[in-house]
Amino acid sequence: MSKICPNCGKELPDDARFCMDCGYTLDAQQSGGMLNSFPLPTIFIILIVAILVIGGAFILSSGFGDSNKSPEKVANDSHTVDLTITGVGGWDSDSGKKSYTLYTEAIFNSVPGDLKKYNIKTTYYDTKGSEIGHETETLENIYYDSDYALGFGFYTTYKLPDPDHVTVEIIKDGKVIDSYTEQIDKNKIDYLN
């Protein structure tokens, strides 16, 4: 003879202690009915979903989920630009009127997600601290993802400059938010050698 589940009507073996369909315990008189308010298969589904949600949240918060960004080039949430000036170079031109060009190279360690809101002002100074000249560009026009130094701040003049140091300013909404200064190695400037 077989048992019938009083909750769902499923036919069960004589020795069954609970319904394998709805989770109802057959010792209802002793235990008070259902094993819990949810059928057994539903409990397993809830547990699996909870584990997946918690595991996914952990992976995303740890940064393991984004394999496309290297730690050095992360578009950061603090809205800052971090760079290292690697040098200043220069050359002269004989085509037409003699001209002299200076440029700065830097490695960008991190950049903000929205490059359009930032400008880079590169200013060259002589040994007296007087400005030789400057160039202002948008970060969007300068930066691309590279492991190498990027050149920017190309300033051309017809008067022979004698540069001493360079200052690179990060500008957002018309305000300087960061500044980097580097002494110039004159051996890297062709027309001075």
Side-chain angles (χ1 to χ4, degrees):
M1 186 173 241
S2 59
K3 295 181 182 178
I4 303 290
C5 175
N7 187 46
C8 68
K10 171 109 174 149
E11 188 174 336
L12 303 169
D14 285 335
D15 59 346
R17 299 182 75 198
F18 62 91
C19 177
M20 300 201 305
D21 230 25
C22 71
Y24 185 85
T25 183
L26 297 175
D27 299 327
Q29 298 82 9
Q30 296 158 1
S31 66
M34 302 269 296
L35 285 172
N36 38 39
S37 60
F38 294 104
L40 202 53
T42 304
I43 292 173
F44 288 124
I45 291 172
I46 291 172
L47 284 173
I48 290 171
V49 168
I51 290 169
L52 290 174
V53 168
I54 292 169
F58 173 76
I59 289 172
L60 290 176
S61 68
S62 299
F64 297 124
D66 194 356
S67 61
N68 294 330
K69 294 181 181 177
S70 64
E72 296 80 25
K73 303 294 181 191
V74 171
N76 58 56
D77 293 332
S78 62
H79 306 292
T80 60
V81 177
D82 181 33
L83 61 87
T84 303
I85 298 173
T86 58
V88 173
W91 70 84
D92 59 337
S93 169
D94 286 331
S95 60
K97 188 174 179 181
K98 183 92 168 174
S99 65
Y100 306 92
T101 301
L102 293 169
Y103 65 94
T104 299
E105 291 183 330
I107 294 176
F108 286 81
N109 303 311
S110 67
V111 295
D114 185 4
L115 302 176
K116 294 177 184 179
K117 296 181 179 181
Y118 295 83
N119 290 324
I120 306 289
K121 181 179 180 184
T122 309
T123 308
Y124 301 96
Y125 296 93
D126 63 18
T127 54
K128 296 176 187 173
S130 299
E131 181 180 320
I132 295 170
H134 68 270
E135 188 66 37
T136 303
E137 306 157 90
T138 64
L139 180 58
E140 182 180 37
N141 288 340
I142 294 172
Y143 177 77
Y144 61 92
D145 191 9
S146 173
D147 291 330
Y148 301 100
L150 302 177
F152 58 93
F154 291 86
Y155 174 75
T156 301
T157 181
Y158 295 107
K159 182 181 174 187
L160 178 64
D162 187 16
D164 178 68
H165 61 280
V166 63
T167 299
V168 176
E169 296 173 306
I170 311 301
I171 302 168
K172 181 180 181 194
D173 299 326
K175 297 178 184 173
V176 176
I177 60 171
D178 213 344
S179 180
Y180 303 87
T181 299
E182 186 73 22
Q183 198 69 29
I184 294 175
D185 179 0
K186 294 183 182 186
N187 293 323
K188 293 184 178 181
I189 300 176
D190 293 341
Y191 61 80
L192 294 177
N193 294 307

